[in-house]
Amino acid sequence: MKPVSDINTPDMSAFWMPFTANQQFKAAPRILKSAEGMYYHSEDGRKILDGTAGLWCCNAGHGRREIAEAVSQQISHLDFAPTFQMGHPLPFELANRLVEIAPKGFGHVFYTNSGSESVDTALKIALAWQRARGQGTRTRLIGRERGYHGVGFGGISVGGIPGNRKWFGSLLTGVDHLPHTLNIGKNAFTKGLPAEDLTLADELEKIVFLHDASNIAAVIVEPIAGSTGVIMPPKGYLKRLREICTKHGILLIFDEVITGFGRLGSPFAAQEFDVIPDMITCAKGLTNGAIPMGAVLVQNHIYDDMMAAGKGAIELFHGYTYSGHPVAAAAGLATLEIYRNENLLSRAADLAGYWEEAAHSLKGCKHVKDVRNYGLVAGIEIESMPDAPGKRAYEVFVRCFEKGALIRVTGDIIALSPPLIIERSQIDDLFTLLQDALQAQEIGRAHV
Ligand code: PXG
């Protein structure tokens, strides 16, 4: 057997890293070693302000002892037990807590292990529910351009990112897409949601007309699209989608993997925007990112119909070995307790004004062509280099990391989504670092 490599400088060849330019990264790695509160600590001993809550997941900040202790206790008490025709207490308990913070009418929780699994689960529940109520011809699923719904076959099919789709064959059949809602020409530098515009939501009527409602099971959208660059819905857009879905018997799924758990200032975007879907997918912030876990929150009418159709047998032929894993459930319970004790599910609303001003102070910075914000999310879009899309933002990312801030970039869009515990002074630090990195464009050395 080969000796174990030094933990600080491991041999990097074996780990095929996700969504990473492996060769480029391994030639010049960025290694995070530990984390506490608002900061990561890099391998070379630098403090890095976390402007992204990891990957939109550590809403309560890092190194939360309450979660570590709950996980540690649970793992020695009951490490694993099945949830197929068996049970153990914590997932029941956690489901009750989740239902308490979910919009009214959401009485049920189906557990998964990730956002991708939550999406595929919700799509399957939609199909099964339509069939259970005698509408088995409703098999079409509608997503949206520039939507990100994870990487399962269901998620990439309804998702709208060409790079995530084109390598993987014919995907799910019978999928259609709404147009995305980004319109920089009209809405650049809008604070919060762009002015009311229902035309893009009304595109759903055209899709329904084309396929006929009797063939459509569900529509899935992110209330605010995160991964593809923080894309806002115009005011009234989500409400109109809800109206059209209701009118035609189509289920509406909100993918709240990013917007859930306080990111926008309410527990879920559904409450923030006062638009109630039929299902909500979530993950990430559910356990503060500490242990993988996702969930689908389901309205009572769907669950009740499925129970009635099941007639006492297995009602839904779906589930994962780790659905409701006891250790993940312990992490989830401890996380929700922190959110409650520290009012974190509404803290983004308190900070939103300050955050908005800080984000929009970047207007006028070199190459910045749009700033978008809501709650504790911001997207900063910069002009692409003519022959190298994505290069400019990547350079800003590297420069920020070197100077002490973690940001995310997608193409030439910078996305910020810090832990909800961020203080005003840290918001200042984050935007100062980012501004310096933007202004340093083409002055500093090339990083790519
Ligand atoms: N839905 C949405 C809306 C997401 O944002 C997923 C589903 C999939 O979740 P999992 O847990 O399967 O990865 C996501 C994930 C980024 C970034 O940089 C975003 C995600 C994942 C990784 C990076 O914006 N979102």
Coordinates of all heavy atoms in Angstrom, one line a residue, residues 19 55-56 113-117 119 148-151 222 224 226-228 255-258 281 283-284 408-410 415, ligand 1:
F19 N -17.0 20.1 -11.2 CA -17.1 21.4 -11.8 C -15.8 22.2 -11.6 O -15.8 23.3 -11.2 CB -18.3 22.2 -11.2 CG -19.6 21.9 -11.8 CD1 -20.6 21.3 -11.1 CD2 -19.9 22.2 -13.1 CE1 -21.9 21.0 -11.6 CE2 -21.1 21.9 -13.7 CZ -22.1 21.3 -13.0
L55 N -20.8 27.2 -0.5 CA -21.5 27.2 -1.8 C -23.0 27.5 -1.5 O -23.8 26.7 -1.7 CB -21.3 25.9 -2.6 CG -20.1 25.7 -3.4 CD1 -20.1 24.3 -4.0 CD2 -19.8 26.8 -4.4
W56 N -23.2 28.6 -1.0 CA -24.6 29.1 -0.6 C -25.2 28.2 0.5 O -26.4 28.0 0.6 CB -25.6 29.0 -1.7 CG -25.2 29.6 -3.1 CD1 -24.4 29.0 -4.0 CD2 -25.7 30.8 -3.6 NE1 -24.3 29.8 -5.1 CE2 -25.1 30.9 -4.9 CE3 -26.5 31.8 -3.2 CZ2 -25.3 32.0 -5.8 CZ3 -26.8 32.9 -4.1 CH2 -26.2 33.0 -5.3
N113 N -30.6 13.7 -0.2 CA -29.2 14.0 0.3 C -28.6 15.2 -0.3 O -27.4 15.5 -0.1 CB -28.3 12.8 0.1 CG -28.9 11.5 0.7 OD1 -29.0 11.4 1.9 ND2 -29.4 10.7 -0.2
S114 N -29.3 15.8 -1.2 CA -28.7 17.0 -2.0 C -29.8 17.7 -2.7 O -31.0 17.2 -2.8 CB -27.7 16.4 -3.0 OG -28.5 15.7 -4.0
G115 N -29.4 18.9 -3.3 CA -30.4 19.6 -4.0 C -30.8 18.9 -5.3 O -32.0 18.9 -5.7
S116 N -29.8 18.2 -5.9 CA -30.1 17.5 -7.2 C -31.2 16.4 -6.9 O -32.1 16.2 -7.7 CB -28.9 16.8 -7.7 OG -27.9 17.8 -8.0
E117 N -31.0 15.7 -5.8 CA -32.0 14.7 -5.5 C -33.3 15.3 -5.1 O -34.4 14.7 -5.4 CB -31.4 13.8 -4.3 CG -30.3 12.9 -4.7 CD -29.7 12.0 -3.6 OE1 -30.2 12.2 -2.5 OE2 -28.8 11.3 -3.8
V119 N -34.6 17.9 -6.4 CA -35.3 18.3 -7.7 C -35.9 17.0 -8.3 O -37.0 17.0 -8.8 CB -34.3 19.0 -8.6 CG1 -34.8 19.1 -10.0 CG2 -34.0 20.4 -8.1
Y148 N -30.9 26.5 -12.9 CA -30.0 25.4 -12.4 C -30.8 24.6 -11.4 O -31.2 25.1 -10.4 CB -28.7 26.0 -11.8 CG -27.8 24.9 -11.4 CD1 -27.2 24.1 -12.3 CD2 -27.4 24.7 -10.0 CE1 -26.3 23.0 -11.9 CE2 -26.6 23.7 -9.6 CZ -26.0 22.9 -10.6 OH -25.1 21.9 -10.2
H149 N -30.9 23.3 -11.7 CA -31.6 22.4 -10.8 C -30.8 21.2 -10.5 O -31.3 20.1 -10.4 CB -33.0 22.1 -11.4 CG -33.8 23.3 -11.7 ND1 -34.4 24.0 -10.7 CD2 -34.2 23.8 -12.9 CE1 -35.1 25.0 -11.3 NE2 -35.0 24.9 -12.6
G150 N -29.5 21.4 -10.4 CA -28.6 20.3 -10.0 C -28.3 19.5 -11.2 O -28.5 19.9 -12.4
V151 N -27.7 18.3 -11.0 CA -27.1 17.5 -12.0 C -27.6 16.1 -12.3 O -27.0 15.4 -13.1 CB -25.5 17.5 -11.8 CG1 -24.9 18.8 -11.9 CG2 -25.3 16.8 -10.4
E222 N -36.4 28.5 -10.1 CA -35.8 29.1 -9.0 C -36.5 30.5 -8.8 O -36.5 31.2 -9.8 CB -34.3 29.3 -9.2 CG -33.5 28.1 -9.5 CD -32.2 28.5 -10.1 OE1 -31.2 28.8 -9.4 OE2 -32.1 28.5 -11.4
I224 N -35.4 33.1 -7.4 CA -34.3 33.9 -7.9 C -33.2 32.9 -8.4 O -32.8 32.0 -7.7 CB -33.6 34.8 -6.9 CG1 -34.6 36.0 -6.5 CG2 -32.3 35.4 -7.3 CD1 -34.0 36.9 -5.4
G226 N -29.9 31.4 -9.0 CA -28.6 31.7 -8.3 C -27.4 31.4 -9.1 O -26.7 32.3 -9.5
S227 N -27.2 30.1 -9.4 CA -26.0 29.7 -10.0 C -25.7 30.3 -11.4 O -24.5 30.5 -11.7 CB -26.1 28.2 -10.4 OG -26.1 27.5 -9.2
T228 N -26.7 30.7 -12.1 CA -26.4 31.2 -13.4 C -26.3 32.7 -13.4 O -26.3 33.4 -14.4 CB -27.5 30.8 -14.5 OG1 -28.7 31.3 -14.0 CG2 -27.5 29.3 -14.7
D255 N -37.7 25.8 -6.7 CA -36.4 25.2 -6.3 C -35.7 26.3 -5.4 O -35.2 27.3 -5.9 CB -35.6 24.9 -7.5 CG -34.3 24.2 -7.2 OD1 -34.0 24.2 -6.0 OD2 -33.6 23.7 -8.1
E256 N -35.8 26.0 -4.1 CA -35.3 26.9 -3.1 C -34.0 26.4 -2.5 O -33.7 26.7 -1.3 CB -36.4 27.2 -2.0 CG -37.6 27.8 -2.6 CD -38.1 29.0 -1.8 OE1 -37.2 29.7 -1.2 OE2 -39.3 29.2 -1.7
V257 N -33.2 25.7 -3.2 CA -32.0 25.2 -2.7 C -31.1 26.3 -2.3 O -30.3 26.2 -1.3 CB -31.3 24.3 -3.8 CG1 -29.8 24.0 -3.4 CG2 -32.1 22.9 -3.9
I258 N -31.1 27.4 -3.0 CA -30.3 28.6 -2.6 C -31.2 29.6 -1.9 O -30.7 30.3 -0.9 CB -29.8 29.2 -3.9 CG1 -28.5 28.5 -4.3 CG2 -29.5 30.7 -3.8 CD1 -27.9 29.0 -5.6
T281 N -38.2 22.6 -3.1 CA -37.0 21.8 -3.0 C -36.0 22.6 -2.2 O -35.9 23.8 -2.4 CB -36.5 21.4 -4.3 OG1 -36.2 22.6 -5.1 CG2 -37.4 20.5 -5.1
A283 N -32.1 22.2 0.3 CA -30.9 21.4 0.7 C -29.9 22.4 1.5 O -30.4 23.2 2.3 CB -30.2 20.8 -0.5
K284 N -28.7 22.3 1.1 CA -27.7 23.4 1.6 C -27.9 23.9 3.0 O -27.4 23.3 4.0 CB -27.6 24.5 0.6 CG -27.1 24.1 -0.8 CD -26.9 25.3 -1.7 CE -26.5 24.9 -3.1 NZ -25.1 24.8 -3.4
R408 N -17.8 33.9 -5.7 CA -18.1 32.9 -6.7 C -18.2 33.6 -8.1 O -18.7 34.7 -8.1 CB -19.4 32.2 -6.5 CG -19.4 31.1 -5.5 CD -18.7 29.9 -6.0 NE -19.4 29.1 -7.0 CZ -18.8 28.2 -7.8 NH1 -17.5 27.9 -7.5 NH2 -19.4 27.6 -8.7
V409 N -17.7 32.9 -9.1 CA -18.0 33.5 -10.4 C -18.6 32.4 -11.3 O -18.3 31.2 -11.2 CB -16.7 34.0 -11.1 CG1 -16.2 35.2 -10.3 CG2 -15.6 33.0 -11.2
T410 N -19.4 32.9 -12.2 CA -20.0 32.0 -13.2 C -20.0 32.9 -14.5 O -20.6 33.9 -14.5 CB -21.4 31.6 -12.8 OG1 -22.0 31.0 -13.9 CG2 -22.3 32.7 -12.3
A415 N -21.0 36.3 -8.0 CA -22.2 36.1 -7.2 C -21.7 36.1 -5.7 O -20.8 35.5 -5.4 CB -22.9 34.7 -7.5
Ligands
PXG1 N1 -31.1 23.6 -7.3 C1 -30.5 24.8 -7.1 C2 -31.3 26.0 -7.3 C3 -29.1 24.9 -6.8 O1 -28.6 26.1 -6.7 C4 -29.0 22.5 -6.8 C5 -30.4 22.5 -7.2 C6 -28.3 21.2 -6.7 O2 -27.9 21.0 -5.4 P1 -26.7 19.9 -5.1 O3 -26.8 19.8 -3.6 O4 -27.1 18.7 -5.8 O5 -25.4 20.5 -5.6 C7 -28.4 23.7 -6.7 C8 -26.9 23.8 -6.4 C9 -22.8 28.1 -7.5 C10 -23.2 26.7 -7.1 O6 -21.6 28.4 -7.5 C11 -24.5 26.5 -6.9 C12 -25.0 25.2 -6.6 C13 -24.0 24.2 -6.4 C14 -22.7 24.4 -6.6 C15 -22.3 25.7 -7.0 O7 -23.6 29.0 -7.7 N2 -26.3 25.0 -6.4

